[in-house]
Amino acid sequence: MKIDKDQFNKYVKDNVFNTLDSYKLIDDNDNVMIGVSGGKDSILTLHMLSQYRDESNINFNLEAVCVDEGIAGYREEGISSAKYNCKKLGIDLHITSFKEHWGYDLDDINGIYKSTCMPCGVYRRYLLNMVSDMYDCDKIATGHNMDDEIQSFLMTFARNDQNKFSKFSPRLERIHPNMTPRIKPLWQLPEKDVGLWCVLNDIPIHDKECPYSVTSLRSDVKLYLNKLEEKKSGVKLNIFNSFKKTFILEKNEEFELVNCGNCGQPTAQSPCKACKISKEIKELL
């Protein structure tokens, strides 16, 4: 079936702008830091927020940050995509790395944990927050799409990690002076539409799968959901609407954060997870 490019672009724009407006993701005079990996989700977020800044009545600033985990033969293309798209849109890009902050790449610590995605996720979240706080940002915009949110919800549900249910929202509030809240402009947009937008608009992206992703629980959940969707179209949207009604509309539970006794970053418990795994890794290297 032939797809009308203009109609599809309008659908994507309306979807993202509706999320931005309905949940008031960006306020006047906000300084927003976009986490840009160079992949399809973060690049679409970059372009949509640039367009939203130009077309909305809200006055806000955009910056971007790219985290170099240190994955040989993989991350270089993502950084190149991030640089190209940020330059095209006139958005300043800050690049930070595991090596710069901890003294080793992700490749160096592969095999220490059952899933290499675990330390990667901890370190990436740590650096995203650290850089956004360093530049006095009010929000961190991430490229989490609807599929990502469903996967995260089911993973949390399976682990009975009830404290994380309050995080399933397109907008999180600031719960610590140095913890920059996240916003998710693609929250209501299916992953397949993100990829199609990039293809139709000939946007340069990093489209390779991370070589470590197969070790994660998320990879299994994603595969399972895609199989379900093939058998029964609409099942993902049904799950999304179900947990949105059950959890998102409830008042988010407030958590008290403290400062890590080692690095000073906000955390639920000191020492923070990044410092804990860094200590474990250094003892094994």
Side-chain angles (χ1 to χ4, degrees):
M1 182 178 69
K2 187 176 180 180
I3 297 175
D4 186 292
K5 178 181 174 181
D6 292 335
Q7 287 187 0
F8 184 79
N9 283 344
K10 182 179 184 304
Y11 150 71
V12 170
K13 174 184 169 182
D14 289 347
N15 181 294
V16 177
F17 279 27
N18 175 261
T19 299
L20 289 162
D21 292 334
S22 297
Y23 295 96
K24 299 179 180 178
L25 300 193
I26 298 177
D27 301 309
D28 214 28
N29 299 317
D30 268 351
N31 187 23
V32 181
M33 181 72 78
I34 308 173
V36 183
S37 67
K40 65 183 188 311
D41 302 300
S42 65
I43 294 301
L44 175 57
T45 302
L46 190 77
H47 281 259
M48 285 294 105
L49 287 187
S50 176
Q51 193 170 351
Y52 188 71
R53 180 182 58 179
D54 294 339
E55 298 181 14
S56 72
N57 294 322
I58 302 173
N59 180 37
F60 63 96
N61 180 59
L62 287 175
E63 299 182 62
V65 57
C66 182
V67 176
D68 181 359
E69 308 95 337
I71 306 175
Y74 171 77
R75 178 45 60 205
E76 296 88 350
E77 186 178 333
I79 294 174
S80 177
S81 168
K83 286 180 177 178
Y84 174 86
N85 283 280
C86 284
K87 183 178 180 180
K88 181 179 180 180
L89 298 173
I91 297 173
D92 289 339
L93 175 65
H94 311 283
I95 299 177
T96 187
S97 69
F98 289 9
K99 187 82 169 182
E100 174 188 349
H101 196 77
W102 286 286
Y104 44 78
D105 290 326
L106 190 64
D107 286 344
D108 297 329
I109 62 174
N110 178 37
I112 290 180
Y113 296 96
K114 184 176 180 181
S115 173
T116 306
C117 295
M118 188 280 288
C120 182
V122 171
Y123 282 163
R124 282 178 58 83
R125 289 189 294 271
Y126 183 100
L127 289 177
L128 283 175
N129 185 74
M130 188 188 76
V131 173
S132 63
D133 183 51
M134 184 188 308
Y135 287 94
D136 295 320
C137 293
D138 301 287
K139 312 277 174 58
I140 300 174
T142 63
H144 289 85
N145 57 55
M146 188 184 79
D147 290 52
D148 293 326
E149 198 76 343
I150 297 169
Q151 293 158 21
S152 295
F153 170 74
L154 292 180
M155 290 162 61
T156 300
F157 189 78
R159 291 166 174 160
N160 192 27
D161 194 356
Q162 297 181 20
N163 289 340
K164 290 187 178 179
F165 281 130
S166 64
K167 296 182 179 180
F168 294 106
S169 170
R171 172 175 177 159
L172 301 179
E173 302 302 325
R174 187 180 290 273
I175 57 177
H176 186 281
N178 302 111
M179 178 66 79
T180 310
R182 306 289 183 93
I183 60 172
K184 307 168 188 174
L186 309 188
W187 193 63
Q188 300 181 109
L189 189 66
E191 182 178 23
K192 62 180 178 61
D193 294 334
V194 179
L196 183 55
W197 181 89
C198 293
V199 171
L200 286 177
N201 292 279
D202 197 25
I203 303 295
I205 61 168
H206 179 213
D207 60 355
K208 292 181 181 178
E209 193 79 16
C210 175
Y212 297 122
S213 64
V214 293
T215 68
S216 69
L217 174 60
R218 180 178 294 275
S219 178
D220 295 332
V221 173
K222 179 178 181 177
L223 181 61
Y224 174 70
L225 284 170
N226 286 340
K227 287 183 177 179
L228 280 180
E229 185 71 22
E230 287 180 9
K231 293 181 179 179
K232 186 173 178 58
S233 179
V235 69
K236 289 182 183 179
L237 183 59
N238 289 340
I239 295 173
F240 179 77
N241 287 333
S242 177
F243 86 72
K244 180 168 67 171
K245 183 177 180 180
T246 305
F247 294 96
I248 307 306
L249 298 183
E250 294 180 356
K251 183 179 179 180
N252 283 347
E253 184 180 351
E254 295 184 359
F255 297 96
E256 183 178 351
L257 298 183
V258 297
N259 292 100
C260 175
N262 293 331
C263 68
Q265 287 295 304
T267 179
Q269 185 177 14
S270 182
C272 71
K273 187 69 172 177
C275 286
K276 284 182 180 178
I277 65 174
S278 295
K279 181 181 178 182
E280 293 172 354
I281 289 169
K282 287 176 181 178
E283 290 174 350
L284 294 169
L285 286 179

